[in-house]
Amino acid sequence: MKEGNTVLHVVICGEERSQRLPGVLKSALEGREYVLAGAGDGLAGAPILFVIPLPVHGVNHAAYDLVAYLRTHPGCLKGSVGGVWIDGGGDLYTKALGREVVLSASLAGCAFPGRGLVEGTGELRNFAVQAKNGGCSLEEAYRRAVRDLVGRVLCFDPPKSRRPRLVVLHASNHRTSNTAALWKGVKERLRGPFDITEVALRNGTLVDCSGCPYTMCLHFGEKGECFYGGVMVREVYPAIRDADAVVLLCPNYNDALSANLTACINRLTALYRTVSFQDKAVFALVVSGYSGGDIVASQVVSALSMNKGFYLPPGFCLLETANDPGTALRLPGIEERLAAFAENMEAQLMG
């Protein structure tokens, strides 16, 4: 898809920059119309590139000011599309900060194309594979990635369907699970026609990925299969291949996705090698017994959107806290939040 004539809004967080950042930024913006902006400059409806220089110690106060603004101004990015570029001084902290910014921006109304984060670590060793595949230097691979991100932000236009196809992945007991109860509440409030496939990943039905060699994984992926077979090949792969969106039901297990959901995401690699997920959305319902739902939601961001390339709709996740079975549906204001989440799903997927 070609880029339109839209003006890119470039939000640079902080003034401490590496020697390489200005040159990479110049390359990414060459031939494109852009303005420098701040978080409070009326960014609703705009394409945005968040640029975050990150020192080796991993603290950029301006970046956390941005996060604070997004969290305290609901809807400030309604209708916008974003990408995040973090230029790091070391090998740590870039991904953690990136997914925190993306989660906060999504909850403020911003959408993100798949692989909406580009991170340059200190020595750019994270670009070794891209440089090898592209026959170029690490820095040139880095430049290309940032420029590509800008292009994908500017031309982001997710498909709409008159009858969206959803695949719902869960490992929950429907009789006792608060997460499953919330999904039932959302499903009951979907007014438009949806084709919904629910896949249970419970009771030892799923073997985790064991890291097959690349060529073996590619060989099976080209046939729509995986060496380990099972429910992934029989049910999950065909459903995701045909889906417009994936919905993850995510109870918080020790501040992490459940083992079965994690195994499922790992096993998607074989399919990902041969099927693009860029036109597929990801949604998540996250329920914590005590706290930490944001940690689980950020794992969905990094695993499925930043890594596997699913696009992230605005407000992609519903975050609730409920402990005893049945309490989720008795939370104050839950009826309104379920209705709003269902309405957002319809708005993002139906056309």
Side-chain angles (χ1 to χ4, degrees), residues 77-158:
L77 298 184
K78 183 177 180 180
S80 62
V81 179
V84 177
W85 166 31
I86 299 182
D87 187 61
D91 290 342
L92 304 178
Y93 312 118
T94 52
K95 181 65 67 64
L97 179 58
R99 66 187 192 179
E100 189 169 5
V101 171
V102 169
L103 176 60
S104 299
S106 172
L107 294 176
C110 187
F112 287 86
R115 298 182 297 109
L117 169 70
V118 171
E119 47 179 336
T121 57
E123 302 298 325
L124 296 180
R125 284 190 291 266
N126 60 315
F127 278 91
V129 173
Q130 292 93 319
K132 180 180 179 181
N133 292 341
C136 61
S137 66
L138 294 174
E139 180 145 349
E140 178 58 25
Y142 185 35
R143 288 173 181 261
R144 292 178 184 179
V146 178
R147 183 168 178 84
D148 174 70
L149 174 63
V150 171
R152 289 186 289 109
V153 168
L154 287 171
C155 69
F156 181 70
D157 185 22

Side-chain angles (χ1 to χ4, degrees), residues 26 42 64 85 87 134 136 145 203-204 210 226 233 239 242 267 294 298-299 302 306 312 325 330 342 347:
K26 180 180 178 181
Y64 288 104
W85 166 31
D87 187 61
C136 61
N203 300 327
S210 294
C226 169
V233 172
D242 295 336
R267 291 276 302 278
D294 55 305
S298 69
Q299 291 171 356
S302 57
M306 293 177 177
L312 205 66
R330 298 196 297 270

Side-chain angles (χ1 to χ4, degrees), residues 20 77 103 148 231 277 292 329:
R20 70 192 178 200
L77 298 184
L103 176 60
D148 174 70
V231 67
F277 298 152
L329 294 179

